[in-house]
């Protein structure tokens, strides 16, 4: 496993689930990390034993002015950002056919899953360009590749994230910045636990391995994607679906 000593990572949605799992693994590997989440209590509880190598920011990542202030603060304190991992996300209302979808909820899901991830890159990339180095990872989803019935907002917003990853990978391919995505199938986290059983069964039954992925599996793959060793892959959506998406 590569050591990340001397590197600074910014991770959104770090108080829970996948963001938390990846953050802890990066900390163990020597990175300094700045963690952004709307859930202040969750952040403080999760990272109370790691005071020296973390900075915690309670922020709604859809509020770009507030995020800009946070990023300036990180740069003032630590002087650089090597890695950006966008984990903050929501499913919105699920188990609902498209003709019954609530437009307000559809917009809310896009605002966080797509616009939130986009704004993070818009604010961080200029700094990475100055240093000619960066590793960006967007958390997409199998739902964005395959389309999960009953999950229009989530699936379409994650498809948009996959599209953005392809665009950004090409746009910065001649710099030292790579932009990739990761598309897990079902990983047992609070996001999945909050969904109706019917919807989770629908998704898990489609996985050839007939099981959920683990946080350790997500974190291992994510750490490779944001490492220096991952230097010839950009614009790509890595699969983590137990055989469901073989492309
Ligand atoms: N769990 C899965 O099976 C799975 C599968 C595929 C993709 N994903 C994606 O992985 C990412 C993480 O999912 P998870 O399962 O860990 O979810 P989770 O619900 O456990 O964690 C999401 C985190 O995002 C934070 N958050 C929500 N809205 C925010 C906002 N406006 N500003 C800042 N923080 C906010 C939450 O407080 C929470 O800590 C999401 O983008 C999700 O779509 C998850």
């Amino acid at each position: 496993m590569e050591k990340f000593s001397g590197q600074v990572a910014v991770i959104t949605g770090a108080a829970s689930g996948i963001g938390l799992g990846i953050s802890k693994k990066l900390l163990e590997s020597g990175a300094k990390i700045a963690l952004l989440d709307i859930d202040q209590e969750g952040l403080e509880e999760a990272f109370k034993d790691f005071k020296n190598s973390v900075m915690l920011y309670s922020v709604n990542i859809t509020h770009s002015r507030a995020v800009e202030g946070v990023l300036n603060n990180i740069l003032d304190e630590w002087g650089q950002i090597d890695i950006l991992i966008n984990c903050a996300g929501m499913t919105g209302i699920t188990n609902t056919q498209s003709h019954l979808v609530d437009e307000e909820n559809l917009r809310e899901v896009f605002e966080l899953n797509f616009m939130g991830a986009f704004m993070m890159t818009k604010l961080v990339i200029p700094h990475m360009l100055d240093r000619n180095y960066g590793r960006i990872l967007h958390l997409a989803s199998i739902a964005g590749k395959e389309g999960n019935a009953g999950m229009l907002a989530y699936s379409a917003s994650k498809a948009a994230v996959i599209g953005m990853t392809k665009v950004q990978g090409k746009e910065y391919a001649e710099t030292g910045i790579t932009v990739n995505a990761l598309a897990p199938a079902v990983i047992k986290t609070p996001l999945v636990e909050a969904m109706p059983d019917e919807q989770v069964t629908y998704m898990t039954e489609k996985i050839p391995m007939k099981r959920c992925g683990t946080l350790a599996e997500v974190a291992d793959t994510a750490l490779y994607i944001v490492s220096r060793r991952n230097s010839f892959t950009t614009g790509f959506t890595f699969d983590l679906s137990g055989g469901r998406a073989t492309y």
Side-chain angles (χ1 to χ4, degrees), residues 111-156:
E111 190 61 26
L112 177 59
N113 291 1
F114 178 72
M115 287 303 293
F118 159 69
M119 280 310 300
M120 289 302 302
T121 56
K122 180 165 174 151
L123 293 170
V124 167
I125 285 174
H127 164 72
M128 290 180 166
L129 283 171
D130 283 346
R131 295 182 64 233
N132 207 29
Y133 182 79
R135 293 284 179 266
I136 296 176
L137 172 59
H138 296 297
L139 258 295
S141 170
I142 184 79
K145 281 171 120 181
E146 294 272 295
N148 280 339
M151 296 179 74
L152 175 75
Y154 187 71
S155 303

Short mmCIF file of all heavy atoms in Angstrom, two decimals, residues 111-156:
data_model
loop_
_atom_site.label_atom_id
_atom_site.label_comp_id
_atom_site.label_asym_id
_atom_site.label_seq_id
_atom_site.Cartn_x
_atom_site.Cartn_y
_atom_site.Cartn_z
N GLU A 111 -28.79 18.70 -7.18
CA GLU A 111 -28.04 19.79 -6.55
C GLU A 111 -26.90 19.23 -5.70
O GLU A 111 -25.79 19.75 -5.73
CB GLU A 111 -29.02 20.60 -5.68
CG GLU A 111 -28.48 21.90 -5.14
CD GLU A 111 -28.08 22.90 -6.23
OE1 GLU A 111 -28.62 22.84 -7.34
OE2 GLU A 111 -27.21 23.73 -5.93
N LEU A 112 -27.15 18.17 -4.98
CA LEU A 112 -26.07 17.59 -4.16
C LEU A 112 -25.18 16.67 -4.99
O LEU A 112 -23.96 16.86 -5.06
CB LEU A 112 -26.68 16.82 -2.97
CG LEU A 112 -25.65 16.11 -2.08
CD1 LEU A 112 -24.65 17.09 -1.47
CD2 LEU A 112 -26.35 15.33 -0.97
N ASN A 113 -25.77 15.66 -5.63
CA ASN A 113 -24.95 14.61 -6.26
C ASN A 113 -24.14 15.12 -7.45
O ASN A 113 -22.98 14.75 -7.63
CB ASN A 113 -25.83 13.45 -6.73
CG ASN A 113 -26.43 12.68 -5.56
OD1 ASN A 113 -26.21 13.01 -4.41
ND2 ASN A 113 -27.22 11.65 -5.86
N PHE A 114 -24.77 15.97 -8.27
CA PHE A 114 -24.03 16.47 -9.43
C PHE A 114 -23.42 17.85 -9.17
O PHE A 114 -22.20 18.03 -9.25
CB PHE A 114 -24.91 16.51 -10.69
CG PHE A 114 -24.14 17.09 -11.86
CD1 PHE A 114 -23.14 16.35 -12.47
CD2 PHE A 114 -24.36 18.38 -12.30
CE1 PHE A 114 -22.38 16.89 -13.51
CE2 PHE A 114 -23.61 18.92 -13.34
CZ PHE A 114 -22.62 18.17 -13.95
N MET A 115 -24.26 18.84 -8.84
CA MET A 115 -23.74 20.21 -8.69
C MET A 115 -22.72 20.29 -7.55
O MET A 115 -21.72 21.00 -7.67
CB MET A 115 -24.89 21.20 -8.44
CG MET A 115 -25.74 21.49 -9.66
SD MET A 115 -24.81 22.13 -11.07
CE MET A 115 -24.27 23.73 -10.46
N GLY A 116 -22.97 19.56 -6.47
CA GLY A 116 -22.03 19.59 -5.34
C GLY A 116 -20.67 19.07 -5.76
O GLY A 116 -19.63 19.71 -5.50
N ALA A 117 -20.65 17.94 -6.45
CA ALA A 117 -19.37 17.37 -6.91
C ALA A 117 -18.72 18.29 -7.93
O ALA A 117 -17.50 18.53 -7.91
CB ALA A 117 -19.61 15.98 -7.50
N PHE A 118 -19.53 18.85 -8.83
CA PHE A 118 -18.99 19.77 -9.84
C PHE A 118 -18.34 20.99 -9.18
O PHE A 118 -17.21 21.38 -9.50
CB PHE A 118 -20.10 20.22 -10.80
CG PHE A 118 -19.76 21.49 -11.51
CD1 PHE A 118 -18.75 21.51 -12.46
CD2 PHE A 118 -20.41 22.68 -11.20
CE1 PHE A 118 -18.38 22.70 -13.09
CE2 PHE A 118 -20.05 23.87 -11.82
CZ PHE A 118 -19.03 23.88 -12.77
N MET A 119 -19.06 21.61 -8.22
CA MET A 119 -18.52 22.83 -7.60
C MET A 119 -17.23 22.55 -6.85
O MET A 119 -16.31 23.37 -6.86
CB MET A 119 -19.56 23.45 -6.63
CG MET A 119 -20.63 24.26 -7.31
SD MET A 119 -20.07 25.50 -8.51
CE MET A 119 -19.04 26.57 -7.50
N MET A 120 -17.14 21.37 -6.22
CA MET A 120 -15.88 21.03 -5.53
C MET A 120 -14.74 21.02 -6.53
O MET A 120 -13.66 21.55 -6.26
CB MET A 120 -15.99 19.64 -4.86
CG MET A 120 -16.90 19.56 -3.65
SD MET A 120 -16.49 20.66 -2.28
CE MET A 120 -14.83 20.20 -1.87
N THR A 121 -14.96 20.42 -7.71
CA THR A 121 -13.88 20.38 -8.70
C THR A 121 -13.59 21.78 -9.23
O THR A 121 -12.44 22.16 -9.41
CB THR A 121 -14.20 19.44 -9.88
OG1 THR A 121 -15.43 19.84 -10.47
CG2 THR A 121 -14.28 18.00 -9.46
N LYS A 122 -14.65 22.55 -9.46
CA LYS A 122 -14.43 23.90 -10.00
C LYS A 122 -13.54 24.71 -9.06
O LYS A 122 -12.70 25.50 -9.50
CB LYS A 122 -15.79 24.60 -10.20
CG LYS A 122 -15.62 25.99 -10.75
CD LYS A 122 -16.88 26.59 -11.30
CE LYS A 122 -16.57 28.03 -11.67
NZ LYS A 122 -17.30 28.60 -12.68
N LEU A 123 -13.72 24.53 -7.76
CA LEU A 123 -12.95 25.32 -6.79
C LEU A 123 -11.55 24.74 -6.55
O LEU A 123 -10.62 25.48 -6.24
CB LEU A 123 -13.73 25.39 -5.46
CG LEU A 123 -15.04 26.18 -5.54
CD1 LEU A 123 -15.86 26.00 -4.27
CD2 LEU A 123 -14.75 27.67 -5.77
N VAL A 124 -11.38 23.43 -6.69
CA VAL A 124 -10.08 22.81 -6.35
C VAL A 124 -9.13 22.73 -7.55
O VAL A 124 -7.92 22.85 -7.40
CB VAL A 124 -10.32 21.39 -5.73
CG1 VAL A 124 -9.02 20.60 -5.66
CG2 VAL A 124 -10.93 21.51 -4.35
N ILE A 125 -9.68 22.54 -8.75
CA ILE A 125 -8.81 22.32 -9.92
C ILE A 125 -7.83 23.49 -10.18
O ILE A 125 -6.66 23.22 -10.48
CB ILE A 125 -9.65 21.95 -11.17
CG1 ILE A 125 -10.13 20.50 -11.03
CG2 ILE A 125 -8.83 22.10 -12.46
CD1 ILE A 125 -11.10 20.03 -12.11
N PRO A 126 -8.25 24.76 -10.04
CA PRO A 126 -7.26 25.83 -10.28
C PRO A 126 -6.00 25.66 -9.42
O PRO A 126 -4.88 25.84 -9.90
CB PRO A 126 -8.01 27.11 -9.91
CG PRO A 126 -9.45 26.76 -10.13
CD PRO A 126 -9.58 25.31 -9.75
N HIS A 127 -6.21 25.27 -8.17
CA HIS A 127 -5.05 25.05 -7.29
C HIS A 127 -4.22 23.85 -7.77
O HIS A 127 -2.98 23.92 -7.81
CB HIS A 127 -5.55 24.83 -5.86
CG HIS A 127 -4.52 24.25 -4.97
ND1 HIS A 127 -3.43 24.97 -4.53
CD2 HIS A 127 -4.35 22.99 -4.51
CE1 HIS A 127 -2.66 24.19 -3.82
NE2 HIS A 127 -3.19 22.98 -3.78
N MET A 128 -4.88 22.78 -8.18
CA MET A 128 -4.14 21.61 -8.68
C MET A 128 -3.37 21.95 -9.96
O MET A 128 -2.25 21.49 -10.17
CB MET A 128 -5.09 20.43 -8.92
CG MET A 128 -5.65 19.82 -7.64
SD MET A 128 -6.75 18.44 -7.97
CE MET A 128 -6.88 17.71 -6.31
N LEU A 129 -3.98 22.79 -10.81
CA LEU A 129 -3.29 23.20 -12.04
C LEU A 129 -2.02 23.98 -11.71
O LEU A 129 -0.98 23.78 -12.35
CB LEU A 129 -4.22 24.06 -12.91
CG LEU A 129 -5.30 23.30 -13.68
CD1 LEU A 129 -6.29 24.27 -14.32
CD2 LEU A 129 -4.69 22.38 -14.74
N ASP A 130 -2.09 24.82 -10.69
CA ASP A 130 -0.89 25.58 -10.29
C ASP A 130 0.25 24.64 -9.91
O ASP A 130 1.41 24.95 -10.13
CB ASP A 130 -1.19 26.47 -9.06
CG ASP A 130 -1.98 27.70 -9.46
OD1 ASP A 130 -2.05 28.00 -10.66
OD2 ASP A 130 -2.53 28.35 -8.54
N ARG A 131 -0.10 23.52 -9.31
CA ARG A 131 0.95 22.58 -8.83
C ARG A 131 1.21 21.46 -9.83
O ARG A 131 2.05 20.60 -9.62
CB ARG A 131 0.53 21.98 -7.49
CG ARG A 131 0.43 23.01 -6.38
CD ARG A 131 0.05 22.39 -5.06
NE ARG A 131 1.06 21.47 -4.57
CZ ARG A 131 0.81 20.21 -4.21
NH1 ARG A 131 -0.41 19.70 -4.34
NH2 ARG A 131 1.77 19.46 -3.76
N ASN A 132 0.38 21.44 -10.90
CA ASN A 132 0.52 20.40 -11.92
C ASN A 132 0.43 18.99 -11.33
O ASN A 132 1.07 18.05 -11.80
CB ASN A 132 1.84 20.57 -12.68
CG ASN A 132 1.73 20.00 -14.08
OD1 ASN A 132 0.64 19.98 -14.65
ND2 ASN A 132 2.83 19.51 -14.62
N TYR A 133 -0.40 18.83 -10.31
CA TYR A 133 -0.63 17.50 -9.74
C TYR A 133 -2.00 17.48 -9.06
O TYR A 133 -2.38 18.44 -8.39
CB TYR A 133 0.44 17.12 -8.70
CG TYR A 133 0.18 15.71 -8.17
CD1 TYR A 133 0.55 14.60 -8.93
CD2 TYR A 133 -0.51 15.50 -6.97
CE1 TYR A 133 0.26 13.32 -8.49
CE2 TYR A 133 -0.80 14.22 -6.53
CZ TYR A 133 -0.41 13.13 -7.30
OH TYR A 133 -0.71 11.85 -6.88
N GLY A 134 -2.70 16.37 -9.20
CA GLY A 134 -3.95 16.19 -8.46
C GLY A 134 -4.57 14.85 -8.76
O GLY A 134 -4.37 14.27 -9.84
N ARG A 135 -5.29 14.35 -7.78
CA ARG A 135 -6.06 13.12 -7.96
C ARG A 135 -7.49 13.41 -7.50
O ARG A 135 -7.72 13.73 -6.33
CB ARG A 135 -5.48 11.98 -7.09
CG ARG A 135 -4.09 11.52 -7.51
CD ARG A 135 -4.17 10.64 -8.75
NE ARG A 135 -2.85 10.19 -9.20
CZ ARG A 135 -2.11 10.81 -10.11
NH1 ARG A 135 -2.51 11.93 -10.67
NH2 ARG A 135 -0.94 10.30 -10.47
N ILE A 136 -8.44 13.28 -8.44
CA ILE A 136 -9.85 13.55 -8.10
C ILE A 136 -10.64 12.26 -8.27
O ILE A 136 -10.50 11.56 -9.28
CB ILE A 136 -10.43 14.67 -9.00
CG1 ILE A 136 -9.67 15.98 -8.73
CG2 ILE A 136 -11.93 14.83 -8.76
CD1 ILE A 136 -10.08 17.14 -9.63
N LEU A 137 -11.43 11.96 -7.26
CA LEU A 137 -12.29 10.78 -7.32
C LEU A 137 -13.73 11.18 -7.00
O LEU A 137 -14.01 11.75 -5.94
CB LEU A 137 -11.81 9.73 -6.30
CG LEU A 137 -12.72 8.51 -6.11
CD1 LEU A 137 -12.93 7.74 -7.40
CD2 LEU A 137 -12.15 7.58 -5.03
N HIS A 138 -14.63 10.88 -7.95
CA HIS A 138 -16.06 11.11 -7.73
C HIS A 138 -16.71 9.78 -7.37
O HIS A 138 -16.50 8.78 -8.07
CB HIS A 138 -16.74 11.59 -9.02
CG HIS A 138 -16.27 12.92 -9.53
ND1 HIS A 138 -16.42 14.09 -8.83
CD2 HIS A 138 -15.68 13.27 -10.71
CE1 HIS A 138 -15.95 15.10 -9.54
NE2 HIS A 138 -15.48 14.64 -10.68
N LEU A 139 -17.55 9.77 -6.33
CA LEU A 139 -18.33 8.56 -6.05
C LEU A 139 -19.56 8.57 -6.96
O LEU A 139 -20.49 9.36 -6.76
CB LEU A 139 -18.74 8.51 -4.58
CG LEU A 139 -17.91 7.57 -3.71
CD1 LEU A 139 -18.08 6.12 -4.13
CD2 LEU A 139 -16.42 7.90 -3.74
N ALA A 140 -19.53 7.70 -7.97
CA ALA A 140 -20.71 7.53 -8.83
C ALA A 140 -21.51 6.36 -8.26
O ALA A 140 -21.59 6.20 -7.04
CB ALA A 140 -20.26 7.28 -10.27
N SER A 141 -22.07 5.52 -9.10
CA SER A 141 -22.83 4.36 -8.61
C SER A 141 -23.16 3.45 -9.79
O SER A 141 -23.28 3.92 -10.93
CB SER A 141 -24.15 4.83 -7.97
OG SER A 141 -24.98 3.72 -7.72
N ILE A 142 -23.35 2.19 -9.49
CA ILE A 142 -23.85 1.27 -10.50
C ILE A 142 -25.18 1.80 -11.08
O ILE A 142 -25.49 1.57 -12.27
CB ILE A 142 -24.07 -0.14 -9.87
CG1 ILE A 142 -24.51 -1.18 -10.88
CG2 ILE A 142 -25.11 -0.10 -8.77
CD1 ILE A 142 -23.41 -1.71 -11.70
N ALA A 143 -25.92 2.53 -10.24
CA ALA A 143 -27.21 3.08 -10.69
C ALA A 143 -27.02 4.02 -11.87
O ALA A 143 -27.88 4.14 -12.74
CB ALA A 143 -27.90 3.81 -9.54
N GLY A 144 -25.86 4.70 -11.91
CA GLY A 144 -25.58 5.62 -13.01
C GLY A 144 -25.19 4.89 -14.28
O GLY A 144 -25.33 5.42 -15.38
N LYS A 145 -24.67 3.67 -14.15
CA LYS A 145 -24.29 2.89 -15.34
C LYS A 145 -25.50 2.12 -15.87
O LYS A 145 -25.72 2.02 -17.07
CB LYS A 145 -23.21 1.87 -14.97
CG LYS A 145 -21.80 2.44 -14.85
CD LYS A 145 -20.87 1.40 -14.27
CE LYS A 145 -19.74 1.06 -15.20
NZ LYS A 145 -18.85 0.02 -14.64
N GLU A 146 -26.25 1.50 -14.96
CA GLU A 146 -27.29 0.56 -15.37
C GLU A 146 -28.70 1.17 -15.33
O GLU A 146 -29.57 0.71 -16.06
CB GLU A 146 -27.27 -0.63 -14.41
CG GLU A 146 -26.01 -1.47 -14.51
CD GLU A 146 -26.12 -2.54 -15.57
OE1 GLU A 146 -26.96 -3.43 -15.41
OE2 GLU A 146 -25.37 -2.48 -16.55
N GLY A 147 -28.91 2.16 -14.43
CA GLY A 147 -30.26 2.68 -14.22
C GLY A 147 -31.05 1.74 -13.33
O GLY A 147 -31.36 0.61 -13.75
N ASN A 148 -31.32 2.14 -12.10
CA ASN A 148 -32.14 1.30 -11.22
C ASN A 148 -33.59 1.76 -11.31
O ASN A 148 -33.89 2.93 -11.05
CB ASN A 148 -31.67 1.42 -9.77
CG ASN A 148 -30.45 0.56 -9.49
OD1 ASN A 148 -30.17 -0.40 -10.21
ND2 ASN A 148 -29.71 0.89 -8.45
N ALA A 149 -34.48 0.85 -11.68
CA ALA A 149 -35.91 1.19 -11.71
C ALA A 149 -36.33 1.72 -10.35
O ALA A 149 -35.89 1.20 -9.32
CB ALA A 149 -36.73 -0.04 -12.08
N GLY A 150 -37.16 2.76 -10.34
CA GLY A 150 -37.63 3.33 -9.08
C GLY A 150 -36.69 4.38 -8.51
O GLY A 150 -36.96 4.97 -7.47
N MET A 151 -35.53 4.60 -9.18
CA MET A 151 -34.53 5.53 -8.66
C MET A 151 -34.09 6.52 -9.75
O MET A 151 -32.92 6.61 -10.06
CB MET A 151 -33.31 4.75 -8.13
CG MET A 151 -33.62 3.85 -6.96
SD MET A 151 -32.17 2.91 -6.37
CE MET A 151 -31.23 4.17 -5.53
N LEU A 152 -35.05 7.23 -10.32
CA LEU A 152 -34.71 8.14 -11.42
C LEU A 152 -33.72 9.22 -10.99
O LEU A 152 -32.69 9.44 -11.64
CB LEU A 152 -35.98 8.82 -11.97
CG LEU A 152 -35.66 9.87 -13.04
CD1 LEU A 152 -35.27 9.22 -14.36
CD2 LEU A 152 -36.82 10.83 -13.25
N ALA A 153 -34.03 9.91 -9.89
CA ALA A 153 -33.19 11.05 -9.47
C ALA A 153 -31.77 10.56 -9.22
O ALA A 153 -30.79 11.14 -9.71
CB ALA A 153 -33.77 11.68 -8.22
N TYR A 154 -31.65 9.50 -8.46
CA TYR A 154 -30.32 9.00 -8.09
C TYR A 154 -29.57 8.50 -9.33
O TYR A 154 -28.43 8.89 -9.57
CB TYR A 154 -30.49 7.88 -7.06
CG TYR A 154 -29.19 7.40 -6.47
CD1 TYR A 154 -28.47 8.20 -5.59
CD2 TYR A 154 -28.68 6.13 -6.78
CE1 TYR A 154 -27.27 7.76 -5.04
CE2 TYR A 154 -27.49 5.70 -6.24
CZ TYR A 154 -26.79 6.51 -5.36
OH TYR A 154 -25.60 6.08 -4.83
N SER A 155 -30.23 7.65 -10.12
CA SER A 155 -29.56 7.06 -11.29
C SER A 155 -29.13 8.13 -12.27
O SER A 155 -27.98 8.12 -12.77
CB SER A 155 -30.49 6.07 -12.00
OG SER A 155 -30.93 5.07 -11.12
N ALA A 156 -30.03 9.07 -12.57
CA ALA A 156 -29.70 10.11 -13.56
C ALA A 156 -28.61 11.04 -13.04
O ALA A 156 -27.72 11.45 -13.79
CB ALA A 156 -30.96 10.91 -13.93
#
